[in-house]
Amino acid sequence: GELYIGGAGLARGYLNQPGLTAERFVPNPFSEVEGERLYRTGDLARWKASNNLEFLGRTDSQVKIRGYRVELSEIESLLMKHPGVAHAAVVIWENDDEKCLLAYVVSGQQGTFNQAEIQRHLRSHLPSYMVPDAFVQMDRLPLTTNGKIDQKALPTPQEHFSRQKAAVPRSSEEEILCGLYAELLKRTNVGADEDFFALGGHSLLATRLISRLHNIFGVELSLRVLFETATVAGLAARVREARGAPTHRLPPLERAERRSDLPLSYAQQRLWFLHQLQPESAAYNIHFGVRFTGWLDKKTLRQSFNAMVRRHEILRTTFPVRDGRPVQNIASESQLDCEELDLQRIVKSEIDLVVRKAAYEEANRPFDLQHGPLLRLKLLKLDDRQHVLLLTLHHIISDGWSTSILIREFARLYEAYGKGEDPGLPELPVQYADFAIWQRQWLQEEVLERQLAFWRKHLAGAPPLELPIDFPDNTMAGGSGARENFHFGNELTQQLRFLSRHEGATLFMTLLAGFQLMLARYTGQDEIVIGTDIANRTRLETEGLIGFFVNQLVLRGDLSGNPSFREILRRVRTVVLQAHEHQDLPFERLVQELAPERNLEGTPLFRVKLVLQNMGLSDLALPEISVSEMDLQEMTAKFDILVNIVEAEDGLHAFVHYRSSLFKPSTVQSLLHFYHATLVVIAQNGQILDVTKQELLGAIARKARELRDQFFTPLGLLASRQRQGRLIVKA
């Protein structure tokens, strides 16, 4: 039957809605206390033999999806007001553990079903979260004996499309693209009319798709093209156009002759230069720690890492100086040592402190770029079944994507060698040195000038970001760093993904728009210039290589004219797509061209950075060993503020690294708290996307106060200690 709720914790009613309060809060017939009430939830439930309640569904058509209350009947009514729809039914559909809205429609008088037109009709009357994610066209809707829609008889989308069959590819280009979509998006079957982003694509996958198009069809398409024509059929047409039109073709990325004076890539050259200025600095050390629980085979561990050193030339590369300039020197052989430290005699209460001290020392020990090695291993033995591996690399030979490759290949090698088997890793067609040579060969003259012209125009007259610095006298005090963490939660993350999808943006674009809005509030500026990272692996051959590929982009935001958030997001999308189209220009070459004022303590052109890590590290799973990653906080800061957002199964996590010589923790906490409130406001109220910037900032300020007040209650503080960490407890 219907579930009712009562007791001391029951709410008083709906605020300023006496009619709804009277309808939902009814007298309790089981109580002798006068005035005691029950709340009608509208949920169907049943008692089980275990004395637990089992939820069965709703008694009405109101449902909750992504944190929103939605009336399905309201959507159905608006659907049937469109002349192209005669009958409609809207239901909740669970797809891969994610709830979404699914609409079943029967065509109206127009006779043809135009999904895009109907979605535009709905968006003009409904918030974006009430617009169905998918549509199923039917000849008629199944009915029960009393004339109501038989929801149990409605086909699932999989059943419907298996009957109707996905649109069959009509050309060789469409057939190939269907396979590429299925591969990248991990789908078993993709039709010619399927949309890349509707199937779950994002900007990183889009970049990989573009690189495959180049590899297969020999065409140069921009990300903008994919955003404009994301269906298989539409993209196939653009591919055919590009193949028939004259365009600049990049030379193939091939294995080059191994000389003794191989050049550095542009990115490597800049890090080498910074290292000469501060040879004792560990600012560009990449480090992480892994805890192993179980019987660890040390011999197999060393064998696995040395196999990777043999496989990836960059791991046995050093950077000597010849004729006054640095070169890459690749050793023919290199044996990696793994230093061991036995901590079994340490008192258990002190072991964690000793491990963290060792990790700190390793992370802050500088490398010798000229003699190497530039990869270090240190194994800490806690007892026979507990070990901690500390791994440190210099950034000049690795990046975040490379770390994922290293972890994935180590797991495969360790498992294979442990069984005495061949790991079966495919041979690498090229190495990082080949990429460095290729990059310098093609990025010249006309191509270089075209890239530079865009960035000159994009950054002309760009104002520096004036952050609220707490210690203005310490701007040259050094790169000492601190960190604040925040978890945005899975519900908010899903809402942000949903908002991005319905606004034709990526999750990063939405996060960036909110970030710009937050910075505008604290700086009073309408132009917001920040940096971000891009993988810069635009060629299929580079996807499996370890090396320093990542490039930095400078993004100039425009919030002038009191725009709505929807307009801000549109401007952000334009800027990000243009930057992606001109991502081939190395940041180092841009700095050389623009020649901004330099100092050792800051990155030129921008001092604040926002990065979204949506590729994620590969899970390190070893046979009969439990593996967990240690959280090792960096003690140096390369930027005034770096916001690194990581996608995880439980939602988005923000790690904010900042210069402790410039900012108090409370200042950074305040920025992060307002950013969180910004994302909550835009994600939970579709109508607010169209209000002006000033009105929106007011709504965000109110939400920020509301969220902050929640954490001063005893329960709020307890929850914050458990879920949010240091940030909210301090706030």
Side-chain angles (χ1 to χ4, degrees), residues 186-205:
K186 295 179 171 51
R187 299 276 173 163
T188 56
N189 185 34
V190 173
D193 294 329
E194 300 273 16
D195 184 288
F196 183 82
F197 297 102
L199 293 174
H202 51 69
S203 58
L204 183 57
L205 287 176

Side-chain angles (χ1 to χ4, degrees), residues 300-594:
T300 302
L301 182 142
R302 292 191 186 90
Q303 184 183 9
S304 301
F305 273 102
N306 277 300
M308 279 190 289
V309 171
R310 291 191 299 273
R311 176 174 168 79
H312 295 273
E313 290 180 351
I314 193 67
L315 297 180
R316 43 190 164 91
T317 297
T318 52
F319 301 89
V321 177
R322 297 211 174 99
D323 299 326
R325 61 187 180 88
V327 296
Q328 291 196 61
N329 181 47
I330 304 170
S332 56
E333 291 184 7
S334 180
Q335 193 71 17
L336 185 64
D337 293 327
C338 181
E339 182 185 350
E340 290 190 45
L341 183 62
D342 193 335
L343 302 180
Q344 294 184 93
R345 296 184 180 180
I346 303 296
V347 180
K348 285 189 176 181
S349 60
E350 299 179 1
I351 194 71
D352 186 62
L353 183 63
V354 173
V355 168
R356 293 194 172 275
K357 182 175 182 293
Y360 174 81
E361 291 173 350
E362 273 299 296
N364 288 276
R365 184 152 58 99
F367 284 99
D368 181 349
L369 298 189
Q370 183 166 347
H371 300 100
L374 303 182
L375 165 63
R376 290 197 300 259
L377 296 178
K378 191 167 190 175
L379 188 64
L380 312 179
K381 183 175 182 179
L382 312 187
D383 57 46
D384 289 340
R385 293 179 57 83
Q386 295 279 343
H387 294 82
V388 171
L389 178 67
L390 303 176
L391 191 149
T392 313
L393 308 91
H394 196 281
H395 205 345
I396 203 168
I397 67 167
S398 185
D399 57 18
W401 185 309
S402 300
T403 303
S404 178
I405 295 171
L406 190 146
I407 290 175
R408 183 176 65 246
E409 290 193 358
F410 167 73
R412 185 166 174 177
L413 289 162
Y414 183 92
E415 182 174 6
Y417 288 148
K419 297 177 181 177
E421 299 174 353
D422 182 353
L425 290 173
E427 184 179 351
L428 296 172
V430 294
Q431 295 281 344
Y432 184 82
D434 302 308
F435 165 79
I437 295 169
W438 172 83
Q439 183 189 54
R440 290 185 176 271
Q441 283 177 343
W442 73 264
L443 196 57
Q444 301 180 38
E445 299 174 354
E446 180 186 347
V447 178
L448 179 60
E449 180 54 36
R450 188 164 58 246
Q451 293 269 336
L452 285 171
F454 165 78
W455 289 106
R456 286 194 208 101
K457 181 179 179 181
H458 177 61
L459 297 176
L465 199 61
E466 302 293 343
L467 289 166
I469 295 176
D470 296 311
F471 310 110
D473 296 333
N474 291 353
T475 53
M476 299 294 290
S480 59
R483 190 182 80 186
E484 297 291 341
N485 305 338
F486 195 84
H487 177 213
F488 290 119
N490 195 48
E491 183 173 331
L492 176 58
T493 301
Q494 293 301 330
Q495 291 170 348
L496 289 168
R497 286 198 183 103
F498 178 77
L499 168 66
S500 305
R501 191 164 60 240
H502 276 264
E503 295 299 322
T506 65
L507 179 59
F508 172 74
M509 292 173 185
T510 300
L511 293 171
L512 175 57
F515 193 63
Q516 290 181 353
L517 196 61
M518 180 271 293
L519 290 174
R521 188 258 191 182
Y522 277 88
T523 63
Q525 296 175 246
D526 285 334
E527 288 193 86
I528 307 295
V529 179
I530 69 167
T532 191
D533 284 344
I534 190 166
N536 197 32
R537 296 179 186 246
T538 58
R539 290 293 172 265
L540 184 63
E541 298 89 344
T542 64
E543 290 185 8
L545 291 181
I546 292 176
F548 184 23
F549 291 91
V550 66
N551 196 15
Q552 296 182 117
L553 300 180
V554 189
L555 304 175
R556 182 178 185 176
D558 176 16
L559 281 72
S560 61
N562 203 21
S564 66
F565 185 82
R566 184 169 275 120
E567 172 61 19
I568 294 173
L569 185 57
R570 187 194 65 78
R571 296 179 187 181
V572 164
R573 181 173 56 209
T574 299
V575 168
V576 171
L577 288 176
Q578 288 177 341
H580 274 249
E581 289 173 9
H582 298 86
Q583 64 172 293
D584 291 319
L585 183 73
F587 178 74
E588 298 70 30
R589 185 64 183 82
L590 177 63
V591 172
Q592 180 183 341
E593 173 69 19
L594 299 182

Side-chain angles (χ1 to χ4, degrees), residues 639-673:
F639 307 92
D640 289 359
I641 295 177
L642 164 62
V643 180
N644 193 24
I645 300 180
V646 178
E647 288 191 74
E649 290 185 0
D650 61 345
L652 295 172
H653 292 257
F655 302 91
V656 184
H657 304 264
Y658 64 97
R659 293 190 191 277
S660 53
S661 59
L662 297 181
F663 302 102
K664 298 176 182 177
S666 58
T667 299
V668 177
Q669 292 163 9
S670 177
L671 291 169
L672 187 51
H673 182 70

